[in-house]
Amino acid sequence: MNEQQTIQAIFEAGHTVAVVGLSPKPWRESFGVSRAMQAAGWRIIPVNPVAAERGEIILGEKAYATLTDAAQQATIDLVNVFRNAEDVPPVMEEAIAIGAPAVWLQAGIRHDAAATRARAAGLMVVQDRCLKVEWAMRSRR
C-alpha cells in the first residue's frame, strides 16, 4: 500500500484519535490541529502526562498520561504524534501494545526505524504530514 492509500485507509477506518503531546495551550500546533479535527467530527483523546496529572480537560476531553490509559477508556483508531523524533520509538511501541491500527507522525516528524517496526507489527504509518491538511484535502474532493 502506498502512502496515499494508507492515508485513505486511515480516514476510512474510524475517527477516534489519541493525540500524544496534545497541549492545552491554544496557540500550540497540536491544539489547533486537534481542534480542527474535532470540528470535523473526530473524537480527540488527549495524551499528555503533565495535563493528566493536573486533571486537565483539553478540548472537552479528559487528558490521559499514556496511550495505555487512554485505550482502557476508548477504542483508538489512530495515534497522532506531536513529539520530537527521538521520542517516537516508545510511543510506537505503546501503540503496537494497545493494538492501535495506525500511527500518524505530524509534519516535521520522522523516525524510519520506529515506522518500520510498527509496519512489521501490522500498523499503518504516515510520517511527516499534517493530519489536518490531509483531511482538508480529501474533504474537498
Side-chain angles (χ1 to χ4, degrees):
M1 186 178 318
N2 69 35
E3 189 168 63
Q4 291 305 313
Q5 291 168 327
T6 299
I7 290 169
Q8 189 62 37
I10 289 170
F11 288 160
E12 292 172 356
H15 295 106
T16 299
V17 57
V19 183
V20 178
L22 176 52
S23 174
K25 300 171 184 170
W27 60 88
R28 300 292 299 262
E29 193 69 25
S30 62
F31 189 95
V33 168
S34 297
R35 181 176 49 206
M37 297 310 294
Q38 190 178 56
W42 290 59
R43 178 172 180 208
I44 302 299
I45 302 174
V47 178
N48 178 320
V50 174
E53 185 178 314
R54 295 178 182 159
E56 289 187 49
I57 303 297
I58 304 173
L59 294 169
E61 295 279 352
K62 176 183 175 182
Y64 293 94
T66 66
L67 279 173
T68 302
D69 293 344
Q72 292 172 355
Q73 303 303 316
T75 299
I76 296 170
D77 302 314
L78 175 63
V79 176
N80 189 17
V81 181
F82 282 91
R83 298 291 310 269
N84 293 325
E86 61 268 15
D87 298 326
V88 167
V91 173
M92 210 65 92
E93 290 300 323
E94 194 173 12
I96 293 166
I98 67 166
V103 177
W104 191 294
L105 304 182
Q106 276 297 132
I109 306 168
R110 286 194 75 82
H111 198 292
D112 292 332
T116 298
R117 163 86 175 99
R119 286 184 186 109
L123 279 70
M124 293 180 282
V125 178
V126 173
Q127 299 190 84
D128 194 18
R129 289 189 177 265
C130 179
L131 180 63
K132 177 178 93 171
V133 169
E134 293 295 326
W135 178 258
M137 287 184 350
R138 276 161 181 71
S139 298
R140 283 187 229 130
R141 291 181 186 169

